[in-house]
């Protein structure tokens, strides 16, 4: 039996939905809970596969976790283990975030080399170099990464590239490091500021979050705290793009629009009207037919790579030629082949894609191979005439709590199905 999203496409979206909590904030914040030898209450934790895997790993490391809907009560007092189960750990890339937390807490960590979506090489050299500066010594044994430190001292750390995960790992590692750590060339993604806010509520001494230079004065202990996670800006972007792609009118509640300027700007260039009032965003995509001359993915505040595939799907039916340059992950054009089978005209060459707009896409059976590309195929199904089945739904569920349910609230005809394909 296989599971898929089944979409009857061709109708403009019309409706409203409230956003889920952020995946990319939840994962580092959960890792941060491990640092504190006590209790944390977290609200608005998204109920997705990646957080489920993280929670399983944390339980295996000795945390006691109580789940009440989207609220978690995490007690990490007895989390004395430092070895992450290989099979669990390989299920997602974010396992690597446990490196900074485990080393910071125990000066010891054993983890598998991280797995995750197939979107490029995804090395971990920046994480390793940062941990080495704090004092960690690394060894590799049977596909596992062994790290141990005799000292745990504050450092000045210059990241060779503003990696999101490596910035988060360096922050986690610095919370208990003796002295004043300065992390330079930090990634500035809002989820990093969220991690810092969370840690500050716990008593960590951090300055400069949201900028490319973060200062952390090491402390001896953290305290119990309660925190509500930010909404997911990638889910928000996915729905805004879906609204524009189907030439619909949608409303999103619980959005932090100030984090979404790059995507809003591109959608406006396509012809969409976007109006925001507090945490509500209204998108009118009825005229969103213009192509985009050059979209470049970039680190924040640039256009996020996690929305590139969804935008590509939307541009397939723009009135003219668009161009996308993928600067972050080298293998993020895998869906182009599927889109072309649906009738699109996408030509890729290395990190560049040219999209010649066509009048319509045709529904068919397609297969998701990774999270955001999978969501983009569902969007293609919304645009296409007839029925589209998107297999590989488990990839999509790594990041979207209930994509079918949310899209139904936005007026789409879509369901999750189990088939015997
Ligand atoms: C995070 C996000 C992911 C998003 C990505 C880029 C989470 C849980 N995931 O992933 O959704 O797509 O940021 O915004 O927050 N790199 C190296 N060496 C390293 C680390 C990274 O070369 O040690 C390279 C990667 O191969 C990639 C680029 O740096 O080309 C960006 O990766 P990074 O910012 O680390 O992404 P993640 O933290 O994995």
């Amino acid at each position: 039996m296989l599971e898929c999203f089944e979409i009857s496409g061709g109708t403009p979206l019309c409706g409203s939905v409230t956003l889920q909590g952020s995946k990319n904030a939840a994962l580092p914040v959960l890792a941060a809970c491990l640092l504190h030898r006590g209790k944390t209450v977290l609200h608005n934790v998204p109920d997705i596969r990646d957080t489920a895997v993280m929670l399983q790993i944390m339980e295996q490391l000795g945390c006691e976790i109580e789940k009440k809907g989207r609220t978690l009560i995490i007690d990490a007092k007895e989390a004395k283990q430092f070895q992450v189960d290989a099979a669990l750990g390989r299920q997602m890339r974010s396992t690597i975030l446990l490196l900074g937390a485990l080393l910071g807490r125990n000066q010891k960590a054993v983890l598998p080399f991280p797995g995750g979506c197939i979107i490029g090489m995804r090395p971990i050299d920046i994480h390793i170099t940062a941990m080495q500066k704090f004092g960690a010594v690394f060894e590799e044994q049977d596909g596992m990464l062994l790290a141990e430190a005799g000292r745990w001292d504050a450092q000045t750390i210059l990241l060779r590239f503003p990696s999101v995960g490596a910035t988060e790992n360096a922050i986690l590692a610095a919370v208990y490091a003796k002295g004043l750590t300065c992390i330079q060339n930090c990634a500035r993604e809002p989820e990093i500021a969220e991690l810092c806010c969370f840690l500050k509520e716990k008593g960590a001494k951090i300055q400069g979050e949201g900028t490319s230079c973060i200062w952390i004065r090491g402390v001896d202990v953290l305290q119990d705290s309660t925190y509500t996670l930010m909404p997911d800006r990638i889910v928000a972007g996915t729905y805004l793009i879906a609204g524009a792609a189907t030439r619909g009118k949608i409303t999103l509640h619980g959005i932090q629009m100030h984090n979404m300027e790059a995507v809003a700007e591109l959608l406006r260039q396509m012809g969409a009207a976007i109006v925001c009032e507090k945490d509500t965003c209204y998108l009118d995509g009825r005229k969103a037919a213009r192509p985009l001359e050059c979209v470049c993915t970039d680190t924040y505040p640039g256009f996020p790579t996690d929305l590139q595939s969804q935008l590509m799907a939307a541009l397939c039916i723009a009135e003219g030629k668009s161009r996308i340059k993928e600067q972050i992950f080298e293998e993020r054009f895998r869906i182009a082949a599927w889109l072309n089978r649906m009738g699109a005209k996408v030509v890729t060459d290395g990190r560049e894609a040219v999209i010649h707009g066509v009048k319509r896409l045709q529904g068919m059976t397609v297969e998701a191979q990774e999270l955001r590309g999978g969501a983009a195929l569902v969007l293609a199904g919304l645009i296409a005439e007839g029925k589209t089945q998107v297999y590989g739904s488990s990839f999509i569920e790594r990041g979207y709590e209930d994509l079918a349910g949310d899209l139904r609230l936005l007026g789409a005809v879509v369901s999750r199905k189990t088939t015997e394909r």
Side-chain angles (χ1 to χ4, degrees):
M1 298 294 255
L2 288 168
E3 295 181 331
C4 72
F5 286 90
E6 188 172 284
I7 307 126
S8 290
T11 38
L13 292 187
C14 180
S16 67
V17 76
T18 301
L19 293 169
Q20 67 179 65
S22 162
K23 160 184 168 290
N24 287 357
L27 293 166
V29 163
L30 285 173
C33 290
L34 260 184
L35 277 177
H36 171 48
R37 294 177 176 83
K39 274 196 184 171
T40 308
V41 179
L42 278 183
H43 298 299
N44 205 27
V45 182
D47 195 2
I48 50 177
R49 290 204 181 205
D50 275 13
T51 51
V53 172
M54 188 58 116
L55 292 175
Q56 268 180 283
I57 295 175
M58 289 169 67
E59 278 181 335
Q60 176 246 326
L61 292 170
C63 291
E64 272 183 31
I65 300 171
E66 201 183 322
K67 191 167 182 291
K68 292 181 185 163
R70 307 285 184 277
T71 295
L72 297 175
I73 304 163
I74 298 170
D75 188 344
K77 190 161 153 237
E78 299 299 328
K80 291 175 183 156
Q81 301 293 322
F82 54 85
Q83 173 151 358
V84 176
D85 177 75
L88 266 178
R90 285 203 184 96
Q91 288 184 30
M92 59 171 188
R93 162 97 179 159
S94 300
T95 305
I96 194 66
L97 294 173
L98 294 166
L99 183 62
L102 287 173
L103 279 171
R105 176 170 170 149
N106 308 306
Q107 280 85 68
K108 262 188 185 174
V110 180
L111 12 151
F113 278 96
C117 286
I118 328 166
I119 53 174
M121 288 270 294
R122 308 193 87 170
I124 53 167
D125 58 298
I126 309 173
H127 302 252
I128 305 258
T129 310
M131 297 306 119
Q132 282 170 331
K133 276 220 122 184
F134 285 103
V137 177
F138 284 88
E139 223 184 289
E140 193 196 329
Q141 233 174 56
D142 306 325
M144 299 294 279
L145 191 63
L146 281 58
E148 199 162 356
R151 61 170 173 89
W152 204 244
D153 297 328
Q155 293 291 332
T156 294
I157 292 167
L158 172 63
L159 305 175
R160 76 160 168 83
F161 175 85
S163 150
V164 174
T167 303
E168 291 164 345
N169 251 333
I171 293 167
L172 292 167
V175 167
Y176 288 142
K178 281 185 187 59
L180 185 63
T181 291
C182 172
I183 312 166
Q184 297 172 352
N185 199 23
C186 292
R188 291 177 290 158
E189 268 65 4
E191 293 77 12
I192 294 170
E194 183 81 345
L195 170 66
C196 294
C197 286
F198 168 77
L199 284 165
K200 282 164 88 160
E201 294 276 313
K202 291 198 102 44
K205 300 268 176 270
I206 305 177
Q207 277 183 0
E209 64 271 24
T211 75
S212 56
C213 185
I214 297 178
W215 297 86
I216 301 171
R217 164 86 52 200
V219 293
D220 293 330
V221 283
L222 295 176
Q223 66 208 23
D224 291 355
S225 63
T226 297
Y227 198 82
T228 302
L229 286 172
M230 66 190 282
D232 196 306
R233 68 190 168 100
I234 303 302
V235 172
T238 303
Y239 297 165
L240 290 177
I241 294 171
T246 59
R247 318 279 200 259
K249 275 179 86 171
I250 63 164
T251 303
L252 300 184
H253 299 292
I255 196 168
Q256 287 184 350
M257 209 56 206
H258 59 275
N259 291 332
M260 306 205 42
E261 202 35 51
V263 61
E265 180 51 32
L266 290 176
L267 292 174
R268 286 192 187 105
Q269 283 175 28
M270 286 178 74
I274 298 174
V275 178
C276 291
E277 264 170 38
K278 293 186 181 154
D279 65 349
T280 298
C281 172
Y282 306 91
L283 172 131
D284 181 347
R286 285 174 299 177
K287 292 183 181 158
R290 286 200 290 270
L292 296 173
E293 268 168 35
C294 190
V295 177
C296 282
T297 62
D298 210 340
T299 52
Y300 188 84
F303 178 68
T305 175
D306 285 353
L307 289 173
Q308 182 263 106
S309 304
Q310 298 88 318
L311 190 66
M312 176 183 277
L315 291 171
C316 285
I317 55 157
E319 290 166 356
K321 187 169 93 176
S322 302
R323 203 181 287 272
I324 297 180
K325 191 168 180 199
E326 172 57 62
Q327 306 202 99
I328 308 295
F329 290 115
E330 65 277 15
E331 285 189 45
R332 260 204 160 159
F333 288 145
R334 284 168 176 251
I335 63 152
W338 287 114
L339 294 172
N340 286 344
R341 286 199 213 173
M342 295 175 81
K345 279 195 187 154
V346 183
V347 182
T348 62
D349 179 11
R351 286 174 178 262
E352 286 198 19
V354 175
I355 304 130
H356 302 271
V358 295
K359 281 257 172 310
R360 60 186 66 86
L361 298 184
Q362 189 57 47
M364 59 173 281
T365 297
V366 296
E367 178 122 20
Q369 288 164 303
E370 41 96 7
L371 164 57
R372 304 302 171 187
L377 289 174
V378 172
L379 259 57
L382 294 174
I383 302 167
E385 283 180 2
K387 193 167 87 177
T388 297
Q389 286 184 320
V390 181
Y391 282 88
S393 44
S394 60
F395 285 110
I396 297 170
E397 284 154 3
R398 293 183 55 171
Y400 296 83
E401 245 182 24
D402 183 9
L403 184 59
D406 281 357
L407 289 174
R408 275 197 300 274
L409 288 171
L410 293 172
V413 183
V414 50
S415 56
R416 276 277 277 106
K417 286 219 161 149
T418 306
T419 70
E420 288 181 28
R421 189 174 73 136

